[in-house]
Amino acid sequence: MRGWKPAPHILLLMPAFIVLAAVVVVPLLLSLYSSFTPFRLTRPDTIYTFIGFRNYQRLFADREFWVAFGRTVLLLTVALNLEMVLGLFLALLVEKATRGQRLLRTIMMFPMMFSPILVGFQFKFMFNDNIGLVNNALQSLGLTDQAIPWLIDGKLAFTSILIAEIWSSTSVFAIFILAGLMAMPKEPLEAAKVDGCTPLQSFRYVTWPFIMPFAFIAMTIRSLDIARAYDIVKIMTDGGPAKRTEILWTLISRTAYSDARMGLANAMAYVAILLSILFTVMFFRQLAKARQQIGAEW
Amino acid sequence: MATVSLKNLVKKYGHLEVVHAINLDVEDREFVALVGPSGCGKSTTLRMIAGLEPISGGHIHIGDREVNKLPPRQRNISMVFQSYALYPHMTVAENMGFSLKIAGKSQDEISAAVADAARTLGLEELLERRPSQLSGGQRQRVAMGRAIVRHPDVFLFDEPLSNLDAKLRMQMRTEIKKLHAKVQSTVIYVTHDQVEAMTLADRIVIMRDGHIEQVGPPEEVFRRPASRFVAGFIGSPTMNLHNAVVGAGKLVFANGDTLPLPQQFRDRVTEGQKVIFGLRPDDVYPAGHGIHSGEAAEVHSVEVPVSLTEPLGNETLVFAEFAGQDWISRMLNPKILRMGDRIKLSFDLSQSHLFDAATEKSLRG
Ligand SMILES: Nc1ncnc2c1ncn2[C@@H]1O[C@H](COP(=O)(O)OP(=O)(O)OP(=O)(O)O)[C@@H](O)[C@H]1O
Ligand SMILES: [Mg+2]
């Protein structure tokens, strides 16, 4: 009897396959499976009860989930747009700087160097209604004589989170767009001037099409980032007050660990991941189109 | 329709001055060619006229407006860039029509103008392509097209034909000439190619190291170069230029060989003066194989050995040794010569040039 002897290339790839399977495929399948069970961490044997799509059915009927879902999409949309605009301005300004540009670029990246947890704490402190810097400043300037309940009012809390999120990540846009600006050939801009463009028209017709792909890369990265946002929100409001800043992942983690309903949480997580994939596909489409437009060779 | 006038125009990059107070008056509808070696400041001058490069001193007028501080869009110019500068994200048609679109022309007008330019430039097949899908020569023609769809006061061309093959270049040269005759705009045209300059321009401006060496119609810069530099720069093959000292009624070369002192310079030099003697290859020829330049030709012949020949078909360039140096001569109705053959070489001294060795300026009156 001859022993089973795999071809060398299969043998060589085996370790990689085994590791990948162990750390990615198995957990993935397991969590997918558990989303079809009423699995609770407190009752491990529930993982063997198969309930089909019941978790998903519940989700689709669950108002709380959809509110969180909607809020996440809202956060994503508003944050992406504002970051895009701010990042663009920042990049245009820095690109104009003839001296100290390197320093400015480094400073621009500072917010990215802090852990989101710390950013959360810092903004939580700043927006605190009693001891926070923001209220303190507003009151000292005489703009208001009351303590504004930044993190207590639902809308204000959402705004505060938005501000923290934008502060920490606008530089992602700025950096990508700046890279685009620096890679852009200067001659077409000169041609545009001769062709009669005002500075605004030059930007609109020449600069913008060129940096668009770079903006889309930043959008893809940031949309994934925000779709899985958790840390800043967890620290600043923990989804409160009264769930008025609950977003997908604070809800999922609460369901999974506080309520211990792992099966349901996994079902939510899969829906959330679908959302991320959707955004990624969308931005990649745009990116491909924009790249083709400028005849990019990358 | 406009004149262009440069007064004491200066350009400095930091402390480095690259254009030194140049003066130039271009007339309305005139075609002026800017020539000169690489790095002499042709593009810089053109870019200052376009308004793409701030000027460090002097004045620029287009028509009767001083445009020193006006942005390019207010100067009513169009320009072909040395590096094409096409818009990478637009098709050929969009590239060409862009200025009209910005000017608010209707789509019909734009399409008509683009189609017209595309026909002139042979770009009809390429209108829907993007610049990245074009060859260098095609890009250059698109750049050209972008300039000619409009009817600006002044056309600025920065080596617009440098990337075309010989045939296409000749064809485009004709097109440019026709175009100029048709639109009657003022043209300032930078080129490396002196044939282009000679054939296209009403006047040629020869630049060197940020100075203007000479300005004049093509025949004049060719026949009466103001300096040794111009003499060497204009004309192909280049003029024979050799150092000599003025003797009694003759020119004495370094090795002692002599030529008679040309008539027209008799009163203009003194004995012992160091000079540079110049004679075009057309005016040095194996006896009986030259261009006859009129009755009064002042021809002097010497017997010399051939050191090299370059047959070109209808003529042969003969390098012959005289006065210890190679002289290029043009032999018409060529016969076959071998290295070392001795020939009678005729110097048509009536066509000669003499430059002062120190100032390198022409000694002609
Ligand atoms: N941005 C710049 N900074 C410093 N020096 C410059 C700059 N641009 C051009 N120069 C210098 O100015 C001089 C003139 O340059 P310019 O481009 O006008 O030459 P050119 O005559 O057009 O040459 P070519 O025929 O090679 O195109 C050159 O010596 C060049 O090195
Ligand atoms: Mg140049």
Side-chain angles (χ1 to χ4, degrees):
Chain A
M1 197 182 96
R2 300 221 323 260
W4 181 65
K5 221 174 151 207
H9 62 276
I10 292 181
L11 207 58
L12 286 169
L13 284 172
M14 203 62 94
F17 273 124
I18 292 171
V19 170
L20 258 180
V23 304
V24 179
V25 181
V26 171
L28 207 64
L29 289 178
L30 196 65
S31 64
L32 183 63
Y33 164 74
S34 81
S35 73
F36 296 109
T37 70
F39 182 35
R40 279 170 179 266
L41 289 176
T42 46
R43 292 172 46 205
D45 57 318
T46 47
I47 197 165
Y48 300 113
T49 324
F50 188 79
I51 55 165
F53 282 96
R54 277 242 293 283
N55 278 333
Y56 289 93
Q57 277 166 358
R58 262 188 67 178
L59 267 191
F60 282 96
D62 183 358
R63 211 184 108 77
E64 197 175 298
F65 174 77
W66 287 112
V67 169
F69 187 96
R71 196 173 283 123
T72 307
V73 174
L74 182 70
L75 181 68
L76 204 150
T77 318
V78 178
L80 278 191
N81 279 296
L82 287 179
E83 286 178 22
M84 166 79 221
V85 172
L86 291 174
L88 179 64
F89 269 105
L90 214 57
L92 287 173
L93 278 180
V94 171
E95 207 248 348
K96 280 273 175 295
T98 44
R99 244 186 286 175
Q101 202 195 75
R102 220 189 265 248
L103 186 70
L104 284 175
R105 285 207 303 259
T106 315
I107 292 175
M108 202 167 74
M109 289 173 68
F110 275 179
M112 289 172 71
M113 294 175 193
F114 300 114
S115 154
I117 301 273
L118 293 182
V119 174
F121 275 123
Q122 187 60 32
F123 276 86
K124 186 179 188 175
F125 159 65
M126 294 206 306
F127 284 116
N128 185 295
D129 48 345
N130 280 320
I131 54 163
L133 277 181
V134 176
N135 274 350
N136 197 325
L138 289 177
Q139 283 166 0
S140 309
L141 289 171
L143 294 175
T144 172
D145 49 2
Q146 292 163 4
I148 299 172
W150 286 109
L151 296 175
I152 296 166
D153 178 86
K155 286 214 178 75
L156 286 179
F158 184 78
T159 312
S160 308
I161 290 170
L162 197 63
I163 291 174
E165 193 65 57
I166 290 172
W167 179 85
S168 69
S169 300
T170 291
S171 42
V172 175
F173 276 90
I175 285 162
F176 273 99
I177 293 176
L178 186 60
L181 286 173
M182 289 176 20
M184 188 170 98
K186 293 292 164 283
E187 292 91 357
L189 274 180
E190 300 195 324
K193 283 189 200 167
V194 172
D195 273 347
C197 285
T198 59
L200 212 61
Q201 285 171 321
S202 295
F203 178 80
R204 155 93 176 69
Y205 291 109
V206 182
T207 311
W208 176 241
F210 197 88
I211 54 179
M212 212 152 56
F214 294 84
F216 280 127
I217 296 175
M219 286 218 186
T220 313
I221 293 176
R222 283 294 296 151
S223 69
L224 288 176
D225 249 9
I226 301 182
R228 57 150 213 237
Y230 174 69
D231 23 30
I232 290 185
V233 182
K234 171 78 186 164
I235 299 298
M236 284 179 72
T237 63
D238 196 10
K243 303 194 170 168
R244 262 173 280 173
T245 56
E246 190 85 291
I247 56 171
L248 272 178
W249 287 97
T250 52
L251 178 65
I252 292 169
S253 80
R254 196 186 321 282
T255 311
Y257 304 115
S258 305
D259 305 354
R261 281 151 51 169
M262 194 51 97
L264 183 61
N266 272 329
M268 290 178 177
Y270 272 94
V271 176
I273 286 170
L274 274 181
L275 175 71
S276 294
I277 292 177
L278 202 77
F279 272 102
T280 311
V281 168
M282 186 176 94
F283 287 128
F284 260 78
R285 286 246 172 92
Q286 302 279 1
L287 172 66
K289 218 162 58 188
R291 270 183 48 194
Q292 198 206 358
Q293 276 234 329
I294 61 165
E297 268 136 30
W298 41 273
Chain B
M1 317 300 116
T3 58
V4 176
S5 121
L6 314 180
K7 290 203 189 72
N8 294 318
L9 189 62
V10 175
K11 178 67 199 180
K12 287 183 191 158
Y13 287 110
H15 292 292
L16 182 73
E17 192 170 299
V18 296
V19 173
H20 314 284
I22 59 172
N23 287 289
L24 179 67
D25 282 302
V26 180
E27 281 163 35
D28 188 21
R29 300 173 193 194
E30 192 176 23
F31 195 122
V32 165
L34 239 53
V35 299
S38 189
C40 70
K42 307 181 295 288
S43 296
T44 306
T45 306
L46 210 63
R47 291 167 53 81
M48 285 193 286
I49 298 171
L52 293 170
E53 205 69 72
I55 66 178
S56 320
H59 304 271
I60 302 176
H61 284 84
I62 297 178
D64 38 23
R65 282 193 307 167
E66 182 175 283
V67 297
N68 286 11
K69 297 231 158 59
L70 291 186
R73 77 189 129 89
Q74 290 173 17
R75 299 191 183 195
N76 198 16
I77 45 164
S78 71
M79 178 160 177
V80 177
F81 291 81
Q82 194 165 3
S83 52
Y84 324 133
L86 300 179
Y87 307 118
H89 56 291
M90 297 184 200
T91 63
V92 167
E94 285 165 348
N95 259 284
M96 297 209 284
F98 185 63
S99 61
L100 299 177
K101 179 173 155 187
I102 291 297
K105 294 279 192 306
S106 75
Q107 193 54 51
D108 290 345
E109 259 177 294
I110 298 177
S111 306
V114 168
D116 204 34
R119 202 168 326 108
T120 309
L121 298 164
L123 289 170
E124 290 124 310
E125 313 289 307
L126 308 175
L127 284 177
E128 292 314 313
R129 297 230 201 137
R130 286 183 203 284
S132 58
Q133 303 162 320
L134 299 177
S135 74
Q138 290 167 336
R139 288 180 206 189
Q140 199 151 42
R141 279 182 283 155
V142 177
M144 201 67 195
R146 204 169 51 178
I148 66 175
V149 291
R150 289 199 290 154
H151 297 290
D153 286 342
V154 185
F155 279 111
L156 303 172
F157 291 126
D158 197 349
E159 307 199 20
L161 309 184
S162 57
N163 274 300
L164 305 183
D165 62 49
K167 187 168 158 233
L168 203 52
R169 186 182 303 200
M170 215 164 93
Q171 202 177 320
M172 292 286 291
R173 215 160 62 204
T174 328
E175 288 301 340
I176 291 177
K177 198 154 193 170
K178 278 193 213 151
L179 180 83
H180 180 236
K182 193 172 91 190
V183 302
Q184 303 240 310
S185 288
T186 309
V187 178
I188 302 180
Y189 188 102
V190 169
T191 176
H192 263 123
D193 182 344
Q194 43 166 309
V195 181
E196 243 167 73
M198 300 289 274
T199 50
L200 288 174
D202 297 319
R203 276 192 307 159
I204 297 182
V205 177
I206 296 126
M207 289 186 69
R208 175 197 193 182
D209 294 341
H211 293 284
I212 290 181
E213 284 271 322
Q214 188 174 0
V215 182
E219 321 79 67
E220 187 180 307
V221 293
F222 184 79
R223 300 230 169 275
R224 305 170 68 86
S227 68
R228 189 212 125 100
F229 175 79
V230 176
F233 193 79
I234 299 288
S236 173
T238 50
M239 187 187 283
N240 296 294
L241 288 160
H242 297 300
N243 289 316
V245 179
V246 179
K250 59 188 180 184
L251 290 167
V252 185
F253 292 91
N255 73 341
D257 282 349
T258 61
L259 280 177
L261 187 58
Q263 293 283 355
Q264 55 168 326
F265 295 109
R266 289 262 152 96
D267 306 329
R268 304 191 175 276
V269 293
T270 51
E271 237 179 276
Q273 187 175 358
K274 289 194 172 116
V275 295
I276 302 161
F277 174 76
L279 200 55
R280 294 214 180 268
D282 309 80
D283 305 316
V284 195
Y285 45 86
H289 292 272
I291 309 165
H292 294 285
S293 54
E295 308 270 302
E298 200 188 331
V299 177
H300 177 83
S301 296
V302 277
E303 206 179 87
V304 295
V306 172
S307 55
L308 186 75
T309 60
E310 282 183 1
L312 299 175
N314 56 343
E315 61 183 39
T316 295
L317 297 183
V318 179
F319 293 69
E321 201 184 314
F322 172 68
Q325 267 136 343
D326 269 342
W327 294 66
I328 308 176
S329 71
R330 190 181 294 237
M331 176 163 70
L332 301 181
N333 311 314
K335 61 175 188 190
I336 292 174
L337 289 176
R338 265 177 250 288
M339 230 175 89
D341 284 355
R342 291 191 75 81
I343 55 168
K344 204 169 118 187
L345 197 62
S346 299
F347 294 81
D348 182 350
L349 296 177
S350 68
Q351 299 301 315
S352 62
H353 305 269
L354 222 51
F355 305 98
D356 186 89
T359 64
E360 302 203 339
K361 295 280 174 240
S362 175
L363 291 167
R364 198 194 308 270

